[in-house]
Every structure is written in structure tokens, then in C-alpha cells.
């Protein structure tokens, strides 16, 4: 069966510090991968998605970037965090060939102070 | 621009009754629509997907309808239980697109 991992679970970082969140998927190959952010009182916002290694599409221009160095690894980064980057970050995957439903990881709660 | 509205931010219902949640969309013609459940502090969990050529989809106590004329999907939970208390999200999407746009969700509370 497929499993998705995200770490860390919680993170408190000062403004201006870098960020690296990692997501890995097990039990599937060539998945579509997604990064979402859920800010307090707001809906899920798609940040990036990837249909293959090295292929990243950005939905919202902002202070963040994403990379996919391996087939089942997706990384969300920032060089300098802003207060507005605080939120709940979720990684998700879907079967790139045949299915549209997405499966989410446990999430990372980021607080920028 | 595309807009997704879920009928209310919160819905309270008595245990055993049928809960009905609404998802309306504008400036959009989705080919399919998904419903997810999200518990506090956790990622959403996929529940059901319905395609534009399907009127209704069922899974155990869950039922989803999709009316492309009204631009609306209804999500029903029959014989609701306190364990059904959660936030429910709708997410329409276009044909061939894997990108989902989520509504803000409806927080359902089932009262014993």
C-alpha cells in the first residue's frame, strides 16, 4: 500500500531564516506530487505541483520554491521566511496515470516568529 | 475568475439525521468533482469523486450528486454519527487536469 511522509510535524522559525520541508511517498512510482498551504481561516491553496522529476509548476508566485530531486521526493524551500509564510503545509500525491483523487500527508505546522 | 462556495461555514445536526452540504461553483465547468474530509490538525482524506456525466454516486452512508446545470454538488451523510463531525471540502477540477481548487469547507458537528 502507498504511504506518504512529511517532516517535520511542527516548526517554529524566525523571520528571514531558510526553510526546507520534505515529503516522500512509498509504494507507488511516478506519482503526481503537490504542495498546499492552509492558512488560519482560509482554504487549501495549491502552491506547486509536479508530474515528474525536475518538472515543477508554480501556482502562486511567492517566497517559496519547490524541487523534485527523485521520483518520490518533493521538497519545499524558502531562502528567507516571511511572517505571512506561517501556516499548515500539506504534501499530496495522486496516481499520474489513472486517477484524480489526491492523498495527503500528515502536514507540517509552520510558525514564523 | 473561478469561485467555489460551500453553503455555510458550520452546520449542526442531530445524530441520526441526514446532513446535506452544498458546493456551488461559478465561472467554471468542471469535468469532475471530489469531496474530502478534514479533521483538525490533519490532512484531508479523499471520500468520493463524481464525474460530470454521473448524476449520483454512493459509498456506504455517503451520497454525492452533481448538477452541471445548477453548477452545484450536494453531499449527503445519512444516519449521521458524532464520528462524522469534521470539515468537509469540495474540489472541482477540469478534464485532464490534476490540479484541484478547494472550497473553504463546511464544518459539520453531529450532536448526540
Amino acid at each position: 500500500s502507498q504511504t506518504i511522509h512529511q517532516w517535520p510535524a511542527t516548526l517554529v522559525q524566525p523571520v528571514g531564516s531558510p526553510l526546507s520541508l520534505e515529503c516522500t511517498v512509498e509504494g507507488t512510482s511516478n506519482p503526481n506530487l503537490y504542495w498546499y498551504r492552509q492558512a488560519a481561516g482560509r482554504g487549501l491553496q495549491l502552491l506547486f505541483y509536479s508530474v515528474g522529476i525536475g518538472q515543477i509548476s508554480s501556482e502562486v508566485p511567492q517566497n517559496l520554491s519547490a524541487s523534485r530531486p527523485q521520483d518520490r521526493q518533493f521538497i519545499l524551500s524558502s531562502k528567507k521566511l516571511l511572517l505571512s509564510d506561517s501556516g499548515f503545509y500539506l504534501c499530496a500525491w495522486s496516481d499520474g496515470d489513472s486517477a484524480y483523487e489526491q492523498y495527503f500527508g500528515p502536514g507540517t505546522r509552520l510558525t514564523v516568529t | 475568475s473561478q469561485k467555489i462556495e460551500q453553503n455555510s461555514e458550520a452546520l449542526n445536526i442531530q445524530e441520526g439525521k441526514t446532513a446535506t452540504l452544498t458546493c456551488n461553483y461559478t465561472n467554471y465547468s468542471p469535468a469532475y468533482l471530489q469531496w474530502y474530509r478534514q479533521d483538525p490538525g490533519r490532512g484531508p482524506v479523499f471520500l468520493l469523486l463524481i464525474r460530470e456525466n454521473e448524476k449520483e454516486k454512493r459509498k456506504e452512508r455517503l451520497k454525492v450528486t452533481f448538477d452541471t446545470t445548477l453548477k452545484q454538488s450536494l453531499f449527503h451523510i445519512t444516519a449521521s454519527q458524532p464520528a462524522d463531525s469534521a470539515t468537509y471540502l469540495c474540489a472541482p477540477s477540469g478534464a485532464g487536469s490534476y490540479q484541484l481548487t478547494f472550497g473553504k469547507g463546511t464544518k459539520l458537528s453531529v450532536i448526540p
Side-chain angles (χ1 to χ4, degrees):
Chain A
S1 64
Q2 299 86 6
T3 310
I4 180 168
H5 302 278
Q6 276 187 254
W7 63 92
T10 59
L11 192 59
V12 180
Q13 293 283 93
V15 168
S17 64
L19 173 74
S20 181
L21 302 180
E22 189 164 342
C23 170
T24 59
V25 181
E26 297 176 354
T28 187
S29 58
N30 196 32
N32 291 342
L33 296 172
Y34 311 84
W35 277 112
Y36 290 87
R37 177 171 61 202
Q38 192 170 37
R42 301 185 66 180
L44 273 169
Q45 180 186 35
L46 178 64
L47 302 175
F48 301 94
Y49 71 96
S50 171
V51 299
I53 296 174
Q55 300 178 59
I56 310 292
S57 295
S58 173
E59 287 298 298
V60 183
Q62 55 198 318
N63 187 40
L64 302 169
S65 62
S67 62
R68 184 171 177 174
Q70 300 181 44
D71 181 43
R72 290 169 289 177
Q73 184 185 30
F74 207 20
I75 297 172
L76 182 69
S77 304
S78 174
K79 292 182 178 177
K80 288 185 178 182
L81 284 168
L82 306 173
L83 285 174
S84 57
D85 291 323
S86 292
F88 190 42
Y89 287 82
L90 289 155
C91 180
W93 72 274
S94 66
D95 186 331
D97 290 333
S98 62
Y100 296 97
E101 58 265 31
Q102 295 184 13
Y103 299 93
F104 287 78
T108 296
R109 176 75 60 188
L110 172 67
T111 304
V112 182
T113 60
Chain B
S1 61
Q2 298 168 359
K3 192 174 181 182
I4 302 164
E5 290 183 339
Q6 294 193 237
N7 57 329
S8 57
E9 289 189 9
L11 178 67
N12 296 327
I13 193 164
Q14 207 71 32
E15 181 177 5
K17 301 292 186 183
T18 297
T20 299
L21 285 63
T22 304
C23 176
N24 294 297
Y25 54 90
T26 55
N27 299 324
Y28 206 175
S29 296
Y32 58 96
L33 190 145
Q34 302 182 42
W35 284 88
Y36 289 77
R37 168 185 173 140
Q38 187 174 23
D39 290 286
R42 311 195 68 165
V45 175
F46 170 76
L47 296 175
L48 282 167
L49 179 152
I50 187 166
R51 299 178 189 275
E52 61 180 337
N53 59 352
E54 297 175 315
K55 294 292 184 186
E56 182 180 296
K57 202 89 171 267
R58 291 176 184 262
K59 178 182 177 183
E60 297 173 351
R61 294 184 296 111
L62 309 180
K63 185 179 84 171
V64 172
T65 62
F66 194 7
D67 190 325
T68 55
T69 302
L70 292 178
K71 293 186 179 293
Q72 180 182 82
S73 175
L74 299 179
F75 177 80
H76 306 272
I77 305 175
T78 57
S80 58
Q81 304 166 2
D84 295 326
S85 298
T87 295
Y88 291 85
L89 308 169
C90 75
S93 189
S97 171
Y98 298 104
Q99 300 155 253
L100 296 180
T101 303
F102 283 86
K104 290 187 178 180
T106 296
K107 184 176 180 180
L108 174 67
S109 296
V110 181
I111 304 162

